Amino acid sequence: MITLKEALKLNKEELNKFKEDLKTKIEANKDLNAYIDVNNIGDGVPIAIKDNIQVKNWSVTSASNILQGYIAPYNATVIEKMSEAGLSPFGRCNMDEFAMGSTTESSFYGKTQNPHAKDRVPGGSSGGSAAAVGAGLAIAALGSDTGGSIRQPASYCGIVGMKPTYGRVSRYGLGAYASSLDQIGPLTQNVEDAAILYDIISGSDDKDSTNAKMDDKVTPNLNPEKKLRIAVLPQYVKDASDDVKDAYEKATQALKDAGHEVIECDLMDAKYDISAYYITATAEATTNLARYDGIRYGNRVEGKNLEETFIKTRSEGFGDEVKRRILLGNFVLSSGYYEAYYVKAQKTRHIIKDEYAKIFENVDLILSPVAPTVAPKFGELKNPMDMYLSDIYTISVNLAGLPAISLPITKNTDGMPVGLQLIAKAYDEQTLFDGALSLEKTINYKG
Ligand code: GLN
């Protein structure tokens, strides 16, 4: 598959021919279920879009039954920015319903397969986006990351996935999951393409009140030769699988070989991240999902009266995982438990943020696992708690609002990719991409 950098140089005829071929290829790989719809809009370089980002006049459903029939009335800001840069939305990618999940199994459209092994999950929630790029069915894709949903599927599918600093990329037109954590970001074949797409979608937007209103670009200054101080976390990695530990050692050595200074640090037990995240995310999700009542958006199931219409619409429209989170979110926000759970989670969030700030007093970047294992097989995560625990290495980055990038490092003996992530200070995407380019060059991963 050509890279985004190469695709941006194609002329109109070349591009049209490329898109025709791409459609045929997607059709031939329908089993993968990476795309839920292909509908070339505009005449730019085709980019795959997660099904929770609005493209005007195109169905957008967050892979939920409740949003069947809903047509986006406007473009998300990222789509506007893409069009200005000569890119166009090409296909809709499968995802976990409302971006809740780590496997893409909770989608209304059925599961997506991992392009490296059909009996394994592609990760989630941006599993369709990652599988499309990993299978050579997209040049690049957009996903959203609330607790790892770009980085983890990227790692499982052997590609690059980047989560920007909170506020760098406008959330206008993104279907909200947990508004204080959500960020849109790129999934690409390599680090340079991720930087190119990040530059295109990031920047000021008055339509999002949490937007950072910063317009600096990374690609003009990309420098993989810059020598950096990089933290490694030996204690933190201890509970990961041997595959991940091997990749971690390999990457640590590669960073040393590239001339970076590697410094051993520690982060607090990640079990607190899981608790703080699942309380915060479900509390916000409950609030955000209250708008799906059958009156304003998508599907409605009529009842005898208004209340019954709400109940029937929501009971039939939402899947099990979404319902579980609505229940949990209401519980942690309810008057008897608000102080004990929600307020405590916010305090823990502060501690996590402070901990990162402390490490960043001495280093430029942190090297961390993305997931504890390679992509699990379908059905391997037996219950929701197993799935929540698999987010252990990604969620603190969202709680702290930091930028991070996942890139492929090795393959295990089954041929499954193992990715790791670099994490940077808030707003320091420049150093993040410089370090990631350096690691990518030194590791020289073959997909
Ligand atoms: N797996 C996490 C969750 O289910 C993260 C999802 C995401 O980043 N959207 O909440």
Side-chain angles (χ1 to χ4, degrees):
M1 172 59 70
I2 56 167
T3 63
L4 177 56
K5 190 179 180 181
E6 289 160 354
L8 283 163
K9 294 186 192 127
L10 297 182
N11 65 33
K12 226 180 158 129
E13 279 101 83
E14 289 166 332
L15 206 52
N16 284 336
K17 164 90 177 69
F18 174 81
K19 287 191 196 180
E20 283 313 311
D21 293 348
L22 184 58
K23 267 193 202 155
T24 314
K25 214 169 152 193
I26 292 170
E27 197 50 44
N29 287 279
K30 253 196 137 69
D31 285 8
L32 203 65
N33 204 23
Y35 286 94
I36 57 180
D37 191 21
V38 176
N39 183 1
N40 184 22
I41 295 193
D43 50 19
V45 171
I47 304 292
I49 310 290
K50 188 175 181 178
D51 193 38
N52 60 353
I53 298 172
Q54 301 217 52
V55 177
K56 192 174 175 175
N57 297 332
W58 197 359
S59 152
V60 59
T61 72
S62 283
S64 181
N65 185 10
I66 211 163
L67 275 172
Q68 295 304 307
Y70 180 69
I71 306 293
Y74 61 88
N75 275 331
T77 297
V78 290
I79 301 297
E80 291 287 337
K81 288 190 189 279
M82 268 181 27
S83 317
E84 285 161 23
L87 312 186
S88 60
F90 189 73
R92 283 258 168 234
C93 288
N94 203 9
M95 58 182 279
D96 279 299
E97 186 180 4
F98 284 107
M100 297 171 186
S102 313
T103 63
T104 311
E105 290 170 292
S106 72
S107 167
F108 173 68
Y109 305 101
K111 57 196 183 194
T112 294
Q113 296 169 342
N114 188 302
H116 296 268
K118 294 195 178 309
D119 57 345
R120 290 181 188 263
V121 305
S125 64
S126 313
S129 300
V133 176
L137 301 179
I139 296 171
L142 291 187
S144 65
D145 193 312
T146 306
S149 279
I150 291 175
R151 290 162 287 150
Q152 182 255 37
S155 170
Y156 285 178
C157 293
I159 62 162
V160 172
M162 188 256 174
K163 180 231 167 252
T165 307
Y166 183 77
R168 274 285 201 182
V169 175
S170 171
R171 291 182 296 110
Y172 182 72
L174 168 70
Y177 165 11
S179 310
S180 77
L181 302 162
D182 299 338
Q183 269 294 281
I184 298 173
L187 293 105
T188 57
Q189 301 168 64
N190 61 45
V191 173
E192 191 180 15
D193 275 2
I196 293 170
L197 193 47
Y198 163 77
D199 272 353
I200 290 172
I201 61 171
S202 61
S204 310
D205 184 20
D206 291 336
K207 297 194 183 99
D208 173 2
S209 62
T210 59
N211 183 259
K213 305 210 162 35
M214 292 164 79
D215 289 302
D216 49 304
K217 301 292 167 210
V218 296
T219 34
N221 305 310
L222 273 182
N223 178 10
E225 303 306 325
K226 200 156 74 195
K227 299 296 170 245
L228 303 167
R229 291 163 64 87
I230 301 179
V232 291
L233 311 164
Q235 283 304 314
Y236 198 64
V237 180
K238 249 186 24 222
D239 296 329
S241 64
D242 288 344
D243 291 335
V244 173
K245 281 189 207 148
D246 288 349
Y248 201 82
E249 269 174 37
K250 199 164 174 228
T252 305
Q253 190 54 48
L255 291 170
K256 288 180 186 161
D257 293 346
H260 302 294
E261 187 182 346
V262 169
I263 299 160
E264 287 197 5
C265 293
D266 210 0
L267 272 176
M268 85 179 172
D269 192 330
K271 72 180 183 205
Y272 300 109
D273 304 354
I274 300 271
S275 313
Y277 172 83
Y278 275 96
I279 290 170
T280 307
T282 56
E284 293 184 23
T286 289
T287 314
N288 278 324
L289 294 177
R291 75 191 66 168
Y292 301 109
D293 52 12
I295 307 301
R296 285 162 292 186
Y297 308 97
N299 249 344
R300 175 189 308 181
V301 185
E302 292 296 344
K304 286 196 297 288
N305 51 40
L306 190 62
E307 192 183 346
E308 201 184 285
T309 299
F310 287 166
I311 293 172
K312 282 192 158 170
T313 298
R314 289 171 67 84
S315 302
E316 291 181 29
F318 290 133
D320 287 348
E321 187 55 36
V322 174
K323 283 181 190 156
R324 190 174 296 122
R325 295 189 189 207
I326 291 173
L327 290 175
L328 186 57
N330 274 306
F331 175 77
V332 300
L333 289 176
S334 59
S335 63
Y337 297 103
Y338 179 79
E339 294 283 335
Y341 293 104
Y342 185 75
V343 172
K344 225 183 211 145
Q346 300 324 300
K347 288 182 180 160
T348 311
R349 189 171 181 179
H350 269 281
I351 295 172
I352 292 167
K353 216 173 164 173
D354 291 348
E355 235 200 333
Y356 273 115
K358 189 126 196 65
I359 295 184
F360 282 124
E361 282 172 11
N362 296 316
V363 303
D364 302 301
L365 295 172
I366 300 172
L367 178 71
S368 158
V370 175
T373 62
V374 295
K377 292 194 169 151
F378 288 110
E380 199 176 315
L381 302 177
K382 295 264 177 299
N383 57 54
M385 200 57 201
D386 286 351
M387 186 178 77
Y388 301 166
L389 285 172
S390 76
D391 295 334
I392 198 149
Y393 290 121
T394 44
I395 52 191
S396 63
V397 165
N398 301 72
L399 288 167
L402 303 174
I405 187 166
S406 158
L407 63 157
I409 304 293
T410 53
K411 279 188 173 174
N412 75 358
T413 47
D414 294 332
M416 293 309 295
V418 186
L420 295 176
Q421 62 179 333
L422 287 168
I423 307 166
K425 287 184 201 110
Y427 310 114
D428 196 4
E429 273 80 0
Q430 187 68 57
T431 305
L432 185 70
F433 280 112
D434 289 346
L437 257 187
S438 165
L439 182 56
E440 180 183 57
K441 264 174 73 177
T442 322
I443 280 285
N444 197 19
Y445 170 88
K446 296 272 178 281

Short mmCIF file of all heavy atoms in Angstrom, two decimals, residues 405-445:
data_model
loop_
_atom_site.label_atom_id
_atom_site.label_comp_id
_atom_site.label_asym_id
_atom_site.label_seq_id
_atom_site.Cartn_x
_atom_site.Cartn_y
_atom_site.Cartn_z
N ILE A 405 2.19 7.79 21.31
CA ILE A 405 2.16 7.13 20.00
C ILE A 405 2.58 5.68 20.16
O ILE A 405 3.55 5.37 20.83
CB ILE A 405 3.05 7.88 18.99
CG1 ILE A 405 2.90 7.30 17.58
CG2 ILE A 405 4.52 7.86 19.40
CD1 ILE A 405 3.49 8.20 16.49
N SER A 406 1.78 4.80 19.55
CA SER A 406 2.06 3.37 19.59
C SER A 406 2.69 2.97 18.26
O SER A 406 2.20 3.37 17.20
CB SER A 406 0.73 2.66 19.82
OG SER A 406 0.76 1.32 19.40
N LEU A 407 3.80 2.23 18.31
CA LEU A 407 4.40 1.78 17.05
C LEU A 407 4.85 0.33 17.16
O LEU A 407 5.18 -0.14 18.24
CB LEU A 407 5.54 2.70 16.60
CG LEU A 407 6.80 2.85 17.44
CD1 LEU A 407 7.94 3.31 16.57
CD2 LEU A 407 6.58 3.84 18.55
N PRO A 408 4.83 -0.39 16.03
CA PRO A 408 5.18 -1.82 16.08
C PRO A 408 6.66 -2.03 16.35
O PRO A 408 7.50 -1.32 15.79
CB PRO A 408 4.79 -2.33 14.69
CG PRO A 408 4.68 -1.14 13.82
CD PRO A 408 4.42 0.05 14.69
N ILE A 409 6.98 -3.02 17.20
CA ILE A 409 8.38 -3.28 17.58
C ILE A 409 8.83 -4.66 17.10
O ILE A 409 9.87 -4.80 16.47
CB ILE A 409 8.54 -3.19 19.13
CG1 ILE A 409 8.07 -1.82 19.64
CG2 ILE A 409 9.98 -3.50 19.55
CD1 ILE A 409 8.91 -0.63 19.23
N THR A 410 8.04 -5.69 17.42
CA THR A 410 8.42 -7.06 17.04
C THR A 410 7.17 -7.85 16.67
O THR A 410 6.05 -7.37 16.78
CB THR A 410 9.04 -7.82 18.25
OG1 THR A 410 8.14 -7.74 19.35
CG2 THR A 410 10.39 -7.28 18.64
N LYS A 411 7.42 -9.11 16.26
CA LYS A 411 6.32 -10.08 16.16
C LYS A 411 6.67 -11.24 17.08
O LYS A 411 7.85 -11.58 17.22
CB LYS A 411 6.21 -10.59 14.72
CG LYS A 411 5.47 -9.64 13.82
CD LYS A 411 5.22 -10.27 12.47
CE LYS A 411 4.34 -9.38 11.63
NZ LYS A 411 4.20 -9.90 10.26
N ASN A 412 5.66 -11.85 17.70
CA ASN A 412 5.96 -13.01 18.55
C ASN A 412 6.06 -14.27 17.68
O ASN A 412 5.97 -14.19 16.44
CB ASN A 412 4.92 -13.14 19.67
CG ASN A 412 3.58 -13.66 19.19
OD1 ASN A 412 3.39 -13.91 17.99
ND2 ASN A 412 2.66 -13.85 20.10
N THR A 413 6.24 -15.41 18.31
CA THR A 413 6.48 -16.64 17.54
C THR A 413 5.25 -17.06 16.71
O THR A 413 5.36 -17.80 15.75
CB THR A 413 6.89 -17.81 18.46
OG1 THR A 413 5.99 -17.82 19.57
CG2 THR A 413 8.31 -17.65 18.96
N ASP A 414 4.06 -16.55 17.09
CA ASP A 414 2.86 -16.82 16.29
C ASP A 414 2.69 -15.81 15.15
O ASP A 414 1.66 -15.83 14.45
CB ASP A 414 1.59 -16.74 17.16
CG ASP A 414 1.54 -17.84 18.20
OD1 ASP A 414 2.13 -18.91 17.95
OD2 ASP A 414 0.93 -17.62 19.25
N GLY A 415 3.64 -14.90 15.02
CA GLY A 415 3.54 -13.90 13.97
C GLY A 415 2.63 -12.72 14.34
O GLY A 415 2.23 -11.94 13.47
N MET A 416 2.31 -12.61 15.64
CA MET A 416 1.45 -11.49 16.05
C MET A 416 2.31 -10.28 16.43
O MET A 416 3.28 -10.40 17.17
CB MET A 416 0.58 -11.89 17.25
CG MET A 416 -0.45 -12.96 16.94
SD MET A 416 -1.47 -12.59 15.49
CE MET A 416 -2.36 -11.13 16.05
N PRO A 417 1.90 -9.09 15.93
CA PRO A 417 2.69 -7.89 16.22
C PRO A 417 2.60 -7.46 17.69
O PRO A 417 1.58 -7.66 18.34
CB PRO A 417 2.03 -6.81 15.34
CG PRO A 417 0.91 -7.44 14.63
CD PRO A 417 0.75 -8.85 15.08
N VAL A 418 3.70 -6.89 18.16
CA VAL A 418 3.74 -6.31 19.51
C VAL A 418 4.16 -4.85 19.36
O VAL A 418 5.23 -4.57 18.83
CB VAL A 418 4.78 -7.01 20.42
CG1 VAL A 418 4.68 -6.49 21.85
CG2 VAL A 418 4.62 -8.52 20.38
N GLY A 419 3.32 -3.95 19.83
CA GLY A 419 3.65 -2.53 19.78
C GLY A 419 4.02 -2.01 21.15
O GLY A 419 3.70 -2.62 22.17
N LEU A 420 4.72 -0.90 21.17
CA LEU A 420 4.97 -0.18 22.43
C LEU A 420 4.61 1.27 22.19
O LEU A 420 4.51 1.71 21.04
CB LEU A 420 6.44 -0.29 22.82
CG LEU A 420 6.96 -1.68 23.18
CD1 LEU A 420 8.46 -1.62 23.45
CD2 LEU A 420 6.24 -2.28 24.39
N GLN A 421 4.47 2.04 23.30
CA GLN A 421 4.16 3.45 23.11
C GLN A 421 5.21 4.36 23.73
O GLN A 421 5.84 4.01 24.72
CB GLN A 421 2.78 3.79 23.66
CG GLN A 421 2.64 3.56 25.15
CD GLN A 421 1.26 3.92 25.69
OE1 GLN A 421 0.57 4.76 25.15
NE2 GLN A 421 0.86 3.25 26.77
N LEU A 422 5.37 5.50 23.10
CA LEU A 422 6.13 6.60 23.70
C LEU A 422 5.11 7.63 24.16
O LEU A 422 4.12 7.88 23.47
CB LEU A 422 7.08 7.21 22.67
CG LEU A 422 8.30 6.34 22.32
CD1 LEU A 422 9.01 6.91 21.09
CD2 LEU A 422 9.27 6.24 23.50
N ILE A 423 5.38 8.21 25.32
CA ILE A 423 4.49 9.22 25.91
C ILE A 423 5.30 10.50 26.09
O ILE A 423 6.46 10.44 26.52
CB ILE A 423 3.96 8.74 27.29
CG1 ILE A 423 3.34 7.34 27.17
CG2 ILE A 423 2.98 9.73 27.89
CD1 ILE A 423 3.10 6.65 28.51
N ALA A 424 4.69 11.64 25.78
CA ALA A 424 5.40 12.92 25.94
C ALA A 424 4.65 13.85 26.86
O ALA A 424 3.52 13.57 27.27
CB ALA A 424 5.59 13.58 24.57
N LYS A 425 5.28 14.97 27.18
CA LYS A 425 4.63 16.03 27.96
C LYS A 425 3.46 16.59 27.16
O LYS A 425 3.48 16.56 25.93
CB LYS A 425 5.59 17.22 28.14
CG LYS A 425 6.70 17.00 29.08
CD LYS A 425 7.49 18.31 29.20
CE LYS A 425 8.85 18.02 29.71
NZ LYS A 425 9.98 18.15 28.91
N ALA A 426 2.51 17.18 27.87
CA ALA A 426 1.38 17.81 27.18
C ALA A 426 1.91 18.84 26.17
O ALA A 426 2.84 19.59 26.48
CB ALA A 426 0.47 18.49 28.19
N TYR A 427 1.35 18.81 25.01
CA TYR A 427 1.66 19.73 23.89
C TYR A 427 3.02 19.53 23.27
O TYR A 427 3.41 20.28 22.38
CB TYR A 427 1.48 21.21 24.31
CG TYR A 427 0.15 21.46 24.97
CD1 TYR A 427 0.07 21.81 26.32
CD2 TYR A 427 -1.03 21.28 24.25
CE1 TYR A 427 -1.17 21.99 26.93
CE2 TYR A 427 -2.26 21.46 24.86
CZ TYR A 427 -2.32 21.80 26.20
OH TYR A 427 -3.54 21.96 26.79
N ASP A 428 3.77 18.52 23.70
CA ASP A 428 5.10 18.31 23.11
C ASP A 428 5.05 17.20 22.05
O ASP A 428 5.84 16.25 22.08
CB ASP A 428 6.14 18.00 24.19
CG ASP A 428 7.56 18.16 23.66
OD1 ASP A 428 7.72 18.58 22.50
OD2 ASP A 428 8.50 17.83 24.40
N GLU A 429 4.14 17.35 21.10
CA GLU A 429 4.03 16.38 20.00
C GLU A 429 5.32 16.35 19.18
O GLU A 429 5.67 15.32 18.61
CB GLU A 429 2.84 16.73 19.10
CG GLU A 429 1.51 16.14 19.53
CD GLU A 429 0.83 16.90 20.65
OE1 GLU A 429 1.38 17.91 21.11
OE2 GLU A 429 -0.27 16.47 21.08
N GLN A 430 6.01 17.47 19.13
CA GLN A 430 7.25 17.51 18.34
C GLN A 430 8.25 16.46 18.83
O GLN A 430 8.73 15.64 18.05
CB GLN A 430 7.88 18.92 18.42
CG GLN A 430 9.07 19.10 17.49
CD GLN A 430 8.65 19.08 16.03
OE1 GLN A 430 7.81 19.87 15.62
NE2 GLN A 430 9.21 18.17 15.25
N THR A 431 8.51 16.48 20.12
CA THR A 431 9.46 15.51 20.68
C THR A 431 8.92 14.09 20.55
O THR A 431 9.67 13.14 20.31
CB THR A 431 9.74 15.85 22.16
OG1 THR A 431 10.18 17.20 22.22
CG2 THR A 431 10.80 14.94 22.76
N LEU A 432 7.59 13.95 20.71
CA LEU A 432 6.98 12.63 20.58
C LEU A 432 7.27 12.03 19.20
O LEU A 432 7.72 10.88 19.09
CB LEU A 432 5.46 12.74 20.79
CG LEU A 432 4.69 11.43 20.79
CD1 LEU A 432 5.00 10.63 22.05
CD2 LEU A 432 3.18 11.67 20.70
N PHE A 433 7.05 12.81 18.16
CA PHE A 433 7.27 12.30 16.80
C PHE A 433 8.76 12.14 16.51
O PHE A 433 9.16 11.19 15.83
CB PHE A 433 6.61 13.22 15.77
CG PHE A 433 5.13 12.98 15.62
CD1 PHE A 433 4.20 13.93 16.03
CD2 PHE A 433 4.66 11.80 15.08
CE1 PHE A 433 2.84 13.71 15.89
CE2 PHE A 433 3.29 11.56 14.95
CZ PHE A 433 2.38 12.52 15.36
N ASP A 434 9.60 13.04 17.01
CA ASP A 434 11.05 12.91 16.79
C ASP A 434 11.54 11.58 17.39
O ASP A 434 12.26 10.82 16.73
CB ASP A 434 11.81 14.07 17.47
CG ASP A 434 11.60 15.39 16.75
OD1 ASP A 434 11.10 15.37 15.60
OD2 ASP A 434 11.94 16.44 17.34
N GLY A 435 11.14 11.31 18.62
CA GLY A 435 11.57 10.09 19.30
C GLY A 435 11.01 8.85 18.61
O GLY A 435 11.70 7.84 18.46
N ALA A 436 9.74 8.92 18.19
CA ALA A 436 9.11 7.77 17.55
C ALA A 436 9.77 7.46 16.21
O ALA A 436 9.99 6.30 15.85
CB ALA A 436 7.61 8.02 17.36
N LEU A 437 10.13 8.51 15.48
CA LEU A 437 10.82 8.30 14.19
C LEU A 437 12.16 7.63 14.41
O LEU A 437 12.54 6.70 13.68
CB LEU A 437 11.09 9.66 13.53
CG LEU A 437 10.22 10.11 12.38
CD1 LEU A 437 10.79 11.39 11.79
CD2 LEU A 437 10.10 9.04 11.29
N SER A 438 12.86 8.07 15.43
CA SER A 438 14.16 7.50 15.75
C SER A 438 14.02 6.02 16.11
O SER A 438 14.77 5.17 15.62
CB SER A 438 14.79 8.30 16.90
OG SER A 438 15.85 7.59 17.47
N LEU A 439 13.02 5.71 16.97
CA LEU A 439 12.81 4.31 17.37
C LEU A 439 12.40 3.46 16.17
O LEU A 439 12.90 2.34 15.98
CB LEU A 439 11.74 4.26 18.48
CG LEU A 439 11.42 2.88 19.06
CD1 LEU A 439 12.66 2.19 19.61
CD2 LEU A 439 10.35 2.99 20.16
N GLU A 440 11.53 3.99 15.35
CA GLU A 440 11.07 3.26 14.16
C GLU A 440 12.25 2.92 13.24
O GLU A 440 12.36 1.80 12.74
CB GLU A 440 10.06 4.13 13.40
CG GLU A 440 9.50 3.49 12.13
CD GLU A 440 8.56 4.45 11.39
OE1 GLU A 440 8.99 5.57 11.03
OE2 GLU A 440 7.39 4.08 11.17
N LYS A 441 13.13 3.89 13.04
CA LYS A 441 14.29 3.68 12.17
C LYS A 441 15.23 2.63 12.73
O LYS A 441 15.73 1.76 12.02
CB LYS A 441 15.08 5.00 12.04
CG LYS A 441 14.71 5.79 10.81
CD LYS A 441 15.38 7.14 10.75
CE LYS A 441 16.87 7.07 10.42
NZ LYS A 441 17.43 8.45 10.32
N THR A 442 15.47 2.69 14.04
CA THR A 442 16.43 1.78 14.66
C THR A 442 15.88 0.36 14.75
O THR A 442 16.60 -0.62 14.55
CB THR A 442 16.83 2.29 16.07
OG1 THR A 442 16.92 3.70 16.02
CG2 THR A 442 18.13 1.70 16.53
N ILE A 443 14.60 0.24 15.05
CA ILE A 443 13.97 -1.09 15.20
C ILE A 443 13.78 -1.77 13.86
O ILE A 443 13.91 -2.99 13.73
CB ILE A 443 12.60 -0.93 15.92
CG1 ILE A 443 12.81 -0.79 17.43
CG2 ILE A 443 11.67 -2.06 15.60
CD1 ILE A 443 13.17 -2.07 18.15
N ASN A 444 13.43 -0.97 12.85
CA ASN A 444 13.26 -1.51 11.50
C ASN A 444 12.31 -2.71 11.44
O ASN A 444 12.65 -3.77 10.91
CB ASN A 444 14.65 -1.87 10.95
CG ASN A 444 14.63 -2.03 9.45
OD1 ASN A 444 13.72 -1.54 8.77
ND2 ASN A 444 15.61 -2.74 8.91
N TYR A 445 11.11 -2.53 11.98
CA TYR A 445 10.07 -3.58 12.01
C TYR A 445 9.59 -3.90 10.59
O TYR A 445 9.35 -3.00 9.79
CB TYR A 445 8.90 -3.07 12.85
CG TYR A 445 7.65 -3.91 12.80
CD1 TYR A 445 7.46 -4.97 13.67
CD2 TYR A 445 6.62 -3.62 11.88
CE1 TYR A 445 6.30 -5.73 13.63
CE2 TYR A 445 5.47 -4.38 11.83
CZ TYR A 445 5.31 -5.43 12.71
OH TYR A 445 4.16 -6.18 12.68
#
